[in-house]
Amino acid sequence: MSLAIVYTRAQVGIDAPLVTVEVHLSGGLPSFSIVGLPETAVKESRERVRSALINSGYDFPQRRITVNLAPADLPKEGGRYDLAIAMGILAASAQVSAESLTSLELIGELALSGALRPVAGVLPVALACREAKRGLLLPAANGDDATLASGLNVYPANHLLDVCAHLKGEQLISCAIAKSFEHSYQAVYPDLSDVKGQLQAKRALEIAAAGSHNLLLVGPPGSGKSMLANRLPGLLPDMTESERLQVASIHSIAQRSGGEGLMCQRPFRAPHHTASSVALVGGGGNPKPGEISLAHQGVLFLDELPEFSRKVLEVLREPIESGEILISRAARQSVFPARFQLVTAMNPCPCGYYSDGSERCRCSPDQVRRYQSRVSGPLLDRIDLQLSVQALSQKELMAFPEAQETSEQVRARVILSRGRQIERQGYPNQLLEGKQLEQICCIGEADKEMLAQALEKLQLSARAYHRVLRVARTIADLAGVDHVERNHLLEALSYRVSARTVLQ
């Protein structure tokens, strides 16, 4: 048989579209050509495949070899197609059975010796294989990632010879044991009880965790802003299996699957303020996920918010609303999920001591205004909870520590609140919008009048109005109340004006 077909997968964003490798041997002068929009690394696979086959003791056909990677309009890149091309050549030259390849998909890069090297983005491939009801044969180093797709036959191999022996039935490769998230790496976060005082900030943290709301902490250095932010992931409920697979897929594409990509705890990303917009949203010739996608289903913490470039901060506005980021390039478009919870912290002025009750601040009003204006109004408008955090006095700081609520205690209330939200609408309150928002956050006429006066006095936008309703709904859920009451609205409003005491 001079024609063989092998199945493999490409990588486009978080998806893994099917690629059919067609190998044809024909008469004529010996040649080896690859068609189907291959990029440089794919074209170079000719030499890797040739050397791997020869060094593994197989004959390399001295005929005209044509390899077609279909569909032809999908860009192909990387060494992930090496194994499929090599097995297609062996099947077309009758050195292995072509029928043995019909129920399998193959992926992996070949060394010149024939050894299999790992590739990025294996988990999306495994999930797509499971959907297609085919087994997956891949490098042993990628086996752990692939086994997260339960119900899939995964065959990890170390060498091309192992693959050929398996297909010939001489020495079968054992299916890898499915890996459970319960036995994966779990991040351990510091406890909320370590934070002295700051009762209002802890309350805001609990509300943010319960409704997946965005949070801004404004205060002088040493007031505990970073400590509070670092403790938020410990208050969040466990991810569902679907959310875990999404997170693990993103980390697999970013080649971070050895640790954080397999964790049970939600991601926590804290990029430095020198990060570029590409580092934040992702990109490159072959688009890779950025920090906002690596924080998907978790927390993105931006400390020293005004120190970030204005251009970098503005790219956050669309993902905060849509929950995904579209990266466009000349040849393709890639969509990465970015449903993250934004937590930010900033000083009120360049020196940090403006409006802290002392006389340490020497910044002029113009300096304070310029510093705060680095964060745009539209971005602040998208942050539900904006809180002023004051530093503890020396007496409070040095006092004997009293019993504080632990993260586990607060987390129990958060889980109950999230449970009410999932049962009622199927997702956290942060995602409520349109008519559903008006129905679920229905308030009386007197409360509407009070809220209208507050909106006019505080000069809040329509977006801010909706965010106040969402926060009030979360406060009501924490209290176990079916309807949003006035005290819930007043508390929600207080978190829109708390930071205004220090923000001009």
Side-chain angles (χ1 to χ4, degrees):
M1 182 178 183
S2 59
L3 176 66
I5 296 176
V6 185
Y7 300 110
T8 185
R9 296 273 169 180
Q11 178 192 318
V12 179
I14 200 174
D15 299 320
L18 179 68
V19 172
T20 303
V21 179
E22 302 170 333
V23 180
H24 181 239
L25 304 184
S26 59
L29 292 175
S31 64
F32 188 175
S33 58
I34 299 177
V35 297
L37 212 58
E39 296 189 357
T40 303
V42 182
K43 293 178 181 178
E44 291 173 347
S45 68
R46 293 176 298 188
E47 307 306 322
R48 292 193 296 270
V49 168
R50 187 197 311 272
S51 297
L53 290 177
I54 293 173
N55 288 325
S56 298
Y58 286 94
D59 293 330
F60 188 81
Q62 296 301 309
R63 302 173 65 184
R64 183 182 180 86
I65 303 173
T66 304
V67 177
N68 179 40
L69 305 177
D73 59 346
L74 178 69
K76 323 294 189 310
E77 57 190 3
R80 59 198 298 122
Y81 307 101
D82 289 3
L83 180 59
I85 292 172
M87 298 314 301
I89 291 174
L90 292 179
S93 59
Q95 297 182 69
V96 299
S97 170
E99 294 181 359
S100 62
L101 294 166
T102 56
S103 61
L104 287 175
E105 295 188 14
L106 289 77
I107 189 170
E109 180 182 333
L110 285 172
L112 299 185
S113 62
L116 290 179
R117 289 175 173 161
V119 296
V122 164
L123 183 53
V125 171
L127 294 173
C129 284
R130 183 179 67 179
E131 191 72 20
K133 294 181 170 52
R134 283 191 284 263
L136 178 60
L137 206 158
L138 78 175
N142 289 130
D144 284 348
D145 281 8
T147 53
L148 290 173
S150 59
L152 172 70
N153 291 332
V154 178
Y155 303 98
N158 290 302
H159 199 280
L160 183 62
L161 291 173
D162 299 335
V163 178
C164 295
H166 175 79
L167 296 176
K168 292 177 181 179
E170 298 173 353
Q171 186 173 354
L172 297 180
I173 300 173
S174 300
C175 280
I177 299 173
K179 189 169 184 178
S180 170
F181 275 101
E182 282 69 28
H183 298 94
S184 303
Y185 170 80
Q186 292 194 31
V188 178
Y189 291 101
D191 200 271
L192 190 63
S193 60
D194 297 335
V195 183
K196 288 186 177 182
Q198 305 295 6
L199 297 181
Q200 187 185 26
K202 290 179 180 179
R203 170 67 173 170
L205 211 62
E206 180 179 345
I207 295 170
S212 192
H213 300 291
N214 300 324
L215 175 65
L216 167 66
L217 300 172
V218 184
S223 56
K225 303 186 297 296
S226 297
M227 284 187 69
L228 288 162
N230 285 319
R231 281 150 181 78
L232 177 59
L235 308 182
L236 299 174
D238 291 335
M239 291 184 286
T240 64
E241 182 180 358
S242 173
E243 291 171 343
R244 288 170 173 174
L245 288 174
Q246 283 183 347
V247 170
S249 295
I250 294 169
H251 284 261
S252 176
I253 293 170
Q255 296 180 294
R256 298 174 182 268
S257 55
E260 323 173 67
L262 306 180
M263 62 188 175
C264 289
Q265 184 58 272
R266 294 179 183 268
F268 180 81
R269 307 294 300 180
H272 193 260
H273 59 76
T274 57
S276 67
S277 57
V278 172
L280 214 59
V281 304
N286 174 25
K288 291 291 181 69
E291 291 292 337
I292 63 173
S293 293
L294 293 173
H296 179 62
Q297 299 296 347
V299 176
L300 177 68
F301 176 45
L302 302 183
D303 199 6
E304 306 296 345
L305 188 64
E307 301 298 336
F308 282 83
S309 164
R310 179 74 173 258
K311 180 182 177 182
V312 171
L313 293 179
E314 293 308 296
V315 302
L316 292 173
R317 287 160 56 176
E318 182 183 344
I320 288 175
E321 298 287 345
S322 65
E324 62 182 21
I325 181 70
L326 172 64
I327 301 173
S328 297
R329 294 293 180 266
R332 72 185 72 182
Q333 289 184 333
S334 298
V335 178
F336 293 105
R339 183 65 68 188
F340 57 91
Q341 189 170 350
L342 179 65
V343 180
T344 61
M346 62 178 286
N347 296 326
C349 69
C351 75
Y353 298 107
Y354 174 74
S355 191
D356 72 338
S358 69
E359 297 181 357
R360 288 180 290 180
C361 180
R362 293 293 184 268
C363 301
S364 68
D366 190 49
Q367 288 176 313
V368 174
R369 192 177 300 108
R370 281 202 306 269
Y371 183 78
Q372 295 180 0
S373 65
R374 294 179 185 175
V375 184
S376 70
L379 179 60
L380 287 175
D381 207 31
R382 287 168 167 81
I383 300 179
D384 307 344
L385 305 168
Q386 302 176 15
L387 191 69
S388 173
V389 181
Q390 296 301 317
L392 297 179
S393 66
Q394 290 185 357
K395 184 178 180 181
E396 292 174 315
L397 188 62
M398 301 177 69
F400 186 78
E402 299 179 359
Q404 305 279 348
E405 272 196 318
T406 64
S407 292
E408 197 58 38
Q409 291 173 310
V410 177
R411 185 172 181 267
R413 296 196 295 270
V414 168
I415 291 174
L416 286 176
S417 175
R418 281 282 185 103
R420 294 187 184 98
Q421 298 166 39
I422 299 301
E423 184 178 355
R424 183 176 59 237
Q425 71 252 7
Y427 43 79
N429 290 332
Q430 167 67 11
L431 303 181
L432 284 171
E433 57 183 15
K435 292 182 179 179
Q436 192 176 30
L437 173 64
E438 299 290 345
Q439 292 171 355
I440 293 177
C441 303
C442 182
I443 57 178
E445 291 300 324
D447 291 338
K448 284 183 179 179
E449 185 177 348
M450 180 274 297
L451 188 56
Q453 293 174 358
L455 292 174
E456 183 178 357
K457 184 176 180 179
L458 298 173
Q459 297 181 338
L460 298 181
S461 67
R463 180 184 287 112
Y465 161 69
H466 290 144
R467 292 189 180 275
V468 167
L469 287 180
R470 294 185 188 115
V471 172
R473 179 66 263 177
T474 300
I475 295 171
D477 287 332
L478 282 170
V481 179
D482 292 334
H483 301 287
V484 177
E485 299 172 357
R486 175 165 294 199
N487 60 314
H488 305 141
L489 288 170
L490 291 174
E491 184 176 359
L493 279 169
S494 72
Y495 295 120
R496 296 296 302 189
V497 301
S498 174
R500 292 197 176 195
T501 57
V502 291
L503 292 179
Q504 296 184 353

